[in-house]
Amino acid sequence: MKIVILGAGVTGSSVAGALASEENDIVVIDQKPHLLSALKGRLDIATIEGNAAHPSVLEQAGVGTADMVLAVTNNDETNMLACQVINTLYTKPKTIARVRALDFLNHPELFAPGGIDIVISPEQVVTEAIHNLIKYPGALHVSEFAEGLVRLVSIRVVPTGFLTGKRIQAVKEKLADSMIRVAAIFRNGKAIAVNGEALIATGDEVFFVCPRDKVRKTLVDLHKLEAPVKTIMLAGGGHVGKRLAIALENNYQVKVIEQDINRAKEISNDLRKTLILHGDCTDQSLLQEEMVEEVDLFCAITNNDGVNLISAGLAKKLGAKKAICLINNTSYLQLVDGTDIDLAIQPKLETLGSILRHVRKGDVVGVSSVCGGSAEAIEAIAHRSVAAKSVVGQRVDQINLPDGVILGALIRDKEVIPVHHDTVFAEGDHVVMFALEKKLIKAIEGYFQPI
């Protein structure tokens, strides 16, 4: 597949890295030569320096023969204009634009057919990811499939926890529910075999797939459900901070710390129950004055990784029960390990899943990129096919998926059904699978081709 990426920033470079490893023909356009040079140095891709919205630059990139264009520059207007130009001048490529500003997103008529095919909002994706972690305290990762009917949840194994030293078979017996499945175990960033004899160790990240209404009980059964969150302090009132406050303020006590006085005044007009504080989130006296020690959750979500690390670590030292932070630069993740910070969220990984669902060749309707992008959970729709392999009419134990692909859930007629070895796939089934390695995705795509 030929893919043109507009923008070589955090999102553009992470998408280029993910897609270049899958035998795609990638071209990246950006006005900053040092960003393009860095990408060119580590990836087998083509780069073009120039304005991504200019027809001449797009022509140079061969947009007319591209299958897809991802407009992910840091400027909404550039992304929207580029897609409009492409859809006006060319017929083939599907256009996907990153749009951040709520002013644009609140007017869906701006994204009518013929202008932009698909709009993605990384800030909204990140907001939903954090909101899910708040709803299920104790989880390390939560993502949704099948229109929210199914959740993929991961937890960290602690030395004194129920899971430590247990075999998978013992965990299955504890849960005693065929609709709750252990999808993967990652140890030091690498997947280990998931079978009845697999032994779970301290530090492992264990992924479960289960129906929405069973997530809380599963966390309770595994002794991982923490006390409910009531008070939240957000460090940063930018795109993510504002969206998150809007999503939370009706059900939680929320405070937002914003250093830019104009931004603080602006977001205060849209937030009715949230307390807006003008100040520096790394200021110890301010955090103490606002009684950070009584806060259940401190979220450092500014656009500066360093500020996020410092403020989250400081808040935890001062007594906040839990602290999470956003990290865009992967190398900064190593610094989190040496702090009291409970969890680091990578916006580029959250965004990557929303983009990959449109890149996958099968009838894929959901993707969650996990474990640094090395593994994926995928939701695909089963179709009967004469020209390609299909799971329809086949039993689970007849499907020849490679080792490393784990069946997580089966949704039929908007209902999660138990999965056994003799379960037969039907037309229109939504199947949630976990691919422990990206090289296994091609096998999944082969079984779930659209009609």
Side-chain angles (χ1 to χ4, degrees):
M1 182 181 289
K2 180 175 181 179
I3 302 172
V4 178
I5 300 173
L6 313 183
V10 172
T11 302
S13 60
S14 63
V15 172
L19 299 179
S21 65
E22 298 178 11
E23 301 177 357
N24 293 296
D25 180 8
I26 307 293
V27 181
V28 179
I29 302 174
D30 201 287
Q31 290 181 294
K32 298 178 180 178
H34 68 281
L35 293 179
L36 295 176
S37 178
L39 271 181
K40 188 84 171 176
R42 64 184 180 86
L43 300 174
D44 182 18
I45 61 172
T47 60
I48 293 175
E49 183 182 344
N51 189 313
H54 286 184
S56 59
V57 176
L58 294 170
E59 180 67 26
Q60 186 182 350
V63 165
T65 59
D67 300 290
M68 182 176 294
V69 175
L70 305 175
V72 291
T73 75
N74 290 326
N75 187 284
D76 286 352
E77 290 81 358
T78 298
N79 295 337
M80 294 168 66
L81 176 59
C83 290
Q84 183 67 61
V85 169
I86 292 166
N87 279 321
T88 299
L89 298 180
Y90 306 99
T91 58
K92 185 179 180 181
K94 177 191 289 185
T95 56
I96 300 176
R98 177 175 77 170
V99 179
R100 308 169 75 179
L102 283 173
D103 267 359
F104 289 133
L105 296 172
N106 287 336
H107 294 279
E109 62 272 16
L110 293 173
F111 313 111
I116 303 173
D117 296 318
I118 299 162
V119 175
I120 60 169
S121 170
E123 287 73 19
Q124 185 59 35
V125 173
V126 171
T127 296
E128 290 171 359
I130 297 175
H131 198 181
N132 276 330
L133 292 173
I134 293 171
K135 286 191 290 186
Y136 302 110
L140 198 62
H141 168 95
V142 181
S143 52
E144 302 180 3
F145 293 94
E147 298 180 346
L149 291 174
V150 170
R151 298 281 196 275
L152 172 70
V153 182
S154 80
I155 58 178
R156 180 75 69 197
V157 179
V158 296
T160 58
F162 166 79
L163 290 172
T164 306
K166 295 289 193 305
R167 297 192 185 278
I168 294 293
Q169 187 58 42
V171 176
K172 291 180 179 179
E173 291 170 0
K174 172 72 172 177
L175 298 175
D177 192 321
S178 60
M179 290 190 289
I180 302 173
R181 301 174 73 87
V182 178
I185 302 173
F186 283 84
R187 183 171 299 160
N188 299 322
K190 295 184 179 180
I192 67 172
V194 177
N195 54 54
E197 295 303 307
L199 198 64
I200 301 172
T202 297
D204 286 354
E205 183 174 7
V206 182
F207 284 84
F208 296 85
V209 177
C210 59
R212 173 179 54 198
D213 58 356
K214 296 180 183 289
V215 174
R216 197 169 296 277
K217 184 179 185 303
T218 300
L219 291 173
V220 169
D221 288 343
L222 299 177
H223 305 172
K224 287 298 295 184
L225 186 66
E226 298 173 354
V229 172
K230 296 180 180 178
T231 56
I232 301 170
M233 185 175 287
L234 306 180
H239 291 294
V240 174
K242 177 182 174 180
R243 288 167 184 264
L244 192 54
I246 290 173
L248 297 174
E249 65 175 357
N250 288 325
N251 298 305
Y252 305 89
Q253 297 176 36
V254 183
K255 293 181 181 179
V256 175
I257 302 175
E258 172 54 47
Q259 190 164 22
D260 186 314
I261 184 63
N262 293 323
R263 179 63 179 176
K265 291 178 179 178
E266 180 185 338
I267 64 175
S268 67
N269 294 326
D270 298 310
L271 296 167
R272 298 288 176 261
K273 300 179 181 179
T274 300
L275 178 61
I276 310 299
L277 304 169
H278 173 233
D280 181 356
C281 60
T282 65
D283 183 347
Q284 179 173 335
S285 60
L286 173 62
L287 295 182
Q288 290 176 319
E289 184 180 319
E290 294 302 325
M291 295 182 291
V292 71
E293 71 275 7
E294 296 183 5
V295 169
D296 294 322
L297 178 64
F298 184 94
C299 296
I301 49 179
T302 76
N303 59 4
N304 184 305
D305 286 355
V307 169
N308 291 342
L309 278 167
I310 293 170
S311 61
L314 179 60
K316 196 67 190 292
K317 289 286 188 184
L318 294 175
K321 294 180 180 65
K322 191 170 186 176
I324 64 178
C325 66
L326 292 189
I327 297 294
N328 284 293
N329 190 329
T330 305
S331 60
Y332 276 41
L333 291 174
Q334 300 176 42
L335 300 178
V336 177
D337 293 337
T339 70
D340 294 323
I341 298 171
D342 296 281
L343 181 61
I345 296 175
Q346 296 178 265
K348 64 181 183 182
L349 274 189
E350 303 295 339
T351 305
L352 186 58
S354 63
I355 291 175
L356 289 177
R357 60 172 290 198
H358 301 291
V359 177
R360 296 289 170 240
K361 296 181 176 65
D363 193 358
V364 173
V365 293
V367 172
S368 180
S369 186
V370 298
C371 298
S374 63
E376 284 183 21
I378 297 174
E379 176 191 351
I381 302 176
H383 298 290
R384 193 179 302 277
S385 176
V386 176
K389 294 182 294 185
S390 171
V391 298
V392 176
Q394 302 289 314
R395 300 188 337 175
V396 168
D397 58 8
Q398 292 177 317
I399 306 303
N400 190 30
L401 285 171
D403 291 340
V405 176
I406 294 98
L407 179 60
L410 183 59
I411 302 92
R412 181 174 297 163
D413 298 327
K414 297 188 177 181
E415 182 179 347
V416 184
I417 65 172
V419 180
H420 303 289
H421 70 93
D422 57 352
T423 301
V424 178
F425 293 99
E427 176 73 30
D429 281 353
H430 285 239
V431 186
V432 179
M433 295 153 285
F434 203 104
L436 298 180
E437 298 179 74
K438 290 176 71 68
K439 67 181 182 181
L440 303 171
I441 293 167
K442 186 176 291 186
I444 295 176
E445 291 175 332
Y447 276 104
F448 292 89
Q449 292 299 314
I451 297 175

